[in-house]
Amino acid sequence: MTDRNELLFNESKQYIPGGVNSPVRAFGSVGGIPRFIRRAKGACIWDENDRRYIDYVCSWGPAIVGHAHPEVIKAVQEVAESGLSFGAPTEGELLIAKEIHKLMPSIEQLRLVSSGTEATMSAIRLARGFTKRDTIIKFEGCYHGHSDSLLVKAGSGLLTFGNPSSGGVPADFSRHTLVLPYNNVDAISKTFAEMGNQIACVIVEPFAGNMNLVKPTAEFMQTLRACTQQHGAVLIFDEVMTGFRVALNGAQSIHGITPDLTTLGKVIGGGMPLAAFGGRADIMASISPLGNVYQAGTLSGNPLAVTAGLKTLEIIQREHFYEHLTAATEKLMQGLQEKAQQHGIPVLTDSVGGMFGIYFGLENLPQSYADMQKCDGELFKQFFHAMLEEDVAFAPSPFEAGFVSIAHKDEFINTTLEKAEMVFAKMK
Ligand code: HOZ
């Protein structure tokens, strides 16, 4: 039988760099042929050969109510009849702003944009405009989209500015970004002690999800809040991944810490391109047209995306949503860890809400990017491909977190664990 995934991948490579519109989709870390997806429903995706997989990528997070939820689809279809984009304000934008404020009270005002990258890029510009300072701090292994200031890796020492981690980023831009190790309290305290009055903001993933799942310590989060407050810097929680994914009120509710600004994406668009940045009203007042920090977008607050987001936010507030989501994720993680260990495969797992991490070859749960570098990529590769052969799709990289949706009922979790048991039994 012709493999349509292979066919399409080869042809796409002629017209699209690497055949994909976002690098990790090319299976570069694991090798092989990416699955081209034709449709998705609930907990499953179907590829171009019409083969069904249990999906733990969930569109990299947004599909928290399951793919193609009938209520979300119906709402979007209805609103589409009235027009796809107006480039003018709509009532839906007000409704979603109010809803997000209700669920995350730290977001007194927000601006809607179309992608997480736009949200973080704009939040950083806003923080710089508000504080009239240039230097920003990010953490090693945290990913905040692909704007120039944020594609920076650590320099040679603690207080040395970073180096571009991508071609095309001028070294001059990275000179304003300090990259510190995640969970390192001394590094934060020292940096603020030496140059606190130059720092515009600290941006952090309040559960890191782009170096696989890495949880912060309470001390780390408290130190970030205390140092930024003391030195007049803006604390930005990048909740593009964690917002409405780890808990109804976001990672900030779990940590009990109120950031100055928050960025959101993924779940708030319910599968459509919608993201946001928002927070303290006095800071948001610096955004144009009120203030002098410019930001704009033709498709910002797109009515279809807002509708999908509003319906998704309605569904996640139904009774026991997060209890079920968390229980399913924990069952999957505990089961995978137990089964792997029974077969002598060194696997640890962790989760928060509907987000999880599977770590091969580590003795302890990772605390930093340096810890994650010690993962056994070869074991992950074996596991990934063997599971895909068993019709279970995990993210095609050992550095990505995984996601569960409310549609991942027991039958899917049990099937996944049965398949994993077979896979671990065969792994070396
Ligand atoms: N931002 C994702 C990686 N953490 C990739 C998104 C995608 O390829 O769709």
Side-chain angles (χ1 to χ4, degrees):
M1 190 185 100
T2 321
D3 179 356
R4 282 196 37 87
N5 298 309
E6 189 168 3
L7 209 79
L8 289 170
F9 188 43
N10 288 337
E11 198 174 355
S12 294
K13 283 194 268 192
Q14 289 177 41
Y15 299 98
I16 301 172
V20 292
N21 284 308
S22 190
V24 70
R25 301 177 193 179
F27 274 33
S29 325
V30 289
I33 305 293
R35 302 314 188 247
F36 275 55
I37 304 307
R38 184 184 284 176
R39 65 195 166 97
K41 182 83 190 151
C44 298
I45 49 175
W46 282 258
D47 73 6
E48 281 288 342
N49 298 328
D50 215 25
R51 184 165 168 178
R52 191 193 85 161
Y53 303 83
I54 302 175
D55 174 33
Y56 292 105
V57 181
C58 290
S59 183
W60 302 96
I64 197 165
V65 298
H67 290 289
H69 190 290
E71 291 176 59
V72 178
I73 299 297
K74 184 164 175 275
V76 171
Q77 280 170 341
E78 277 171 12
V79 91
E81 298 283 343
S82 306
L84 302 182
S85 172
F86 312 126
T90 62
E91 186 180 11
E93 292 163 72
L94 168 63
L95 295 178
I96 202 164
K98 282 168 78 174
E99 199 60 14
I100 290 172
H101 168 68
K102 183 186 90 187
L103 296 172
M104 285 192 195
S106 73
I107 303 183
E108 295 169 352
Q109 292 203 339
L110 66 77
R111 177 72 45 98
L112 295 174
V113 290
S114 301
S115 72
T117 290
E118 259 187 276
T120 51
M121 176 186 79
S122 309
I124 298 251
R125 182 179 304 145
L126 173 59
R128 283 175 162 153
F130 177 75
T131 56
K132 301 190 173 44
R133 300 171 182 175
D134 291 339
T135 302
I136 65 171
I137 293 179
K138 79 174 284 289
F139 295 95
E140 209 174 11
C142 284
Y143 173 75
H144 307 284
H146 56 90
S147 66
D148 286 342
S149 298
L150 294 165
L151 286 182
V152 174
K153 57 182 183 226
S156 52
L158 200 58
L159 289 173
T160 42
F161 286 98
N163 300 310
S165 61
S166 158
V169 175
D172 271 357
F173 287 20
S174 62
R175 279 201 305 109
H176 297 292
T177 305
L178 277 168
V179 184
L180 302 182
Y182 199 72
N183 270 329
N184 188 323
V185 169
D186 288 346
I188 312 275
S189 309
K190 210 168 169 175
T191 304
F192 269 96
E194 295 209 15
M195 51 188 303
N197 63 355
Q198 297 167 48
I199 294 166
C201 66
V202 173
I203 185 164
V204 64
E205 286 184 89
F207 288 99
N210 286 284
M211 48 176 160
N212 208 325
L213 170 65
V214 176
K215 290 182 175 174
T217 63
E219 194 191 3
F220 176 67
M221 297 309 282
Q222 284 153 10
T223 307
L224 292 183
R225 183 62 286 184
C227 287
T228 46
Q229 218 143 33
Q230 191 188 341
H231 294 272
V234 174
L235 179 59
I236 305 172
F237 275 11
D238 179 356
E239 293 226 43
V240 168
M241 197 176 264
T242 56
F244 307 112
R245 165 54 68 187
V246 297
L248 178 60
N249 310 102
Q252 46 201 272
S253 69
I254 298 179
H255 297 308
I257 288 180
T258 306
D260 301 307
L261 293 179
T262 299
T263 56
L264 295 169
K266 299 194 188 272
V267 169
I268 67 160
M272 297 209 61
L274 189 72
F277 64 99
R280 275 170 42 192
D282 62 326
I283 300 180
M284 293 303 286
S286 294
I287 278 281
S288 179
L290 298 180
N292 68 355
V293 177
Y294 193 69
Q295 178 276 330
T298 300
L299 293 174
S300 291
N302 173 268
L304 268 63
V306 165
T307 301
L310 270 170
K311 186 51 81 177
T312 301
L313 292 182
E314 182 193 317
I315 297 169
I316 62 175
Q317 290 178 67
R318 292 184 186 156
E319 232 180 325
H320 305 309
F321 185 95
Y322 285 90
E323 284 100 306
H324 290 315
L325 184 72
T326 303
T329 314
E330 284 175 355
K331 178 173 172 177
L332 178 69
M333 287 303 104
Q334 280 162 16
L336 281 178
Q337 181 167 316
E338 272 165 31
K339 288 181 189 309
Q341 289 176 356
Q342 278 160 18
H343 290 281
I345 309 290
V347 168
L348 293 176
T349 61
D350 202 2
S351 66
V352 52
M355 178 171 169
F356 64 78
I358 306 173
Y359 319 95
F360 284 85
L362 292 188
E363 277 169 20
N364 298 301
L365 289 174
Q367 293 241 314
S368 65
Y369 183 69
D371 289 349
M372 269 309 297
Q373 294 300 307
K374 296 177 203 141
C375 264
D376 190 328
E378 280 309 309
L379 272 184
F380 170 79
K381 242 195 246 182
Q382 275 185 45
F383 171 76
F384 170 82
H385 279 296
M387 289 303 283
L388 204 56
E389 276 307 304
E390 295 294 338
D391 303 328
V392 179
F394 287 100
S397 159
F399 292 99
E400 297 286 354
F403 303 99
V404 168
S405 82
I406 203 69
H408 285 78
K409 303 284 182 217
D410 251 5
E411 64 192 273
F412 293 113
I413 304 292
N414 292 338
T415 305
T416 305
L417 292 175
E418 282 160 25
K419 308 262 187 185
E421 171 128 49
M422 284 160 33
V423 164
F424 288 134
K426 285 191 219 146
M427 276 171 74
K428 306 254 172 359

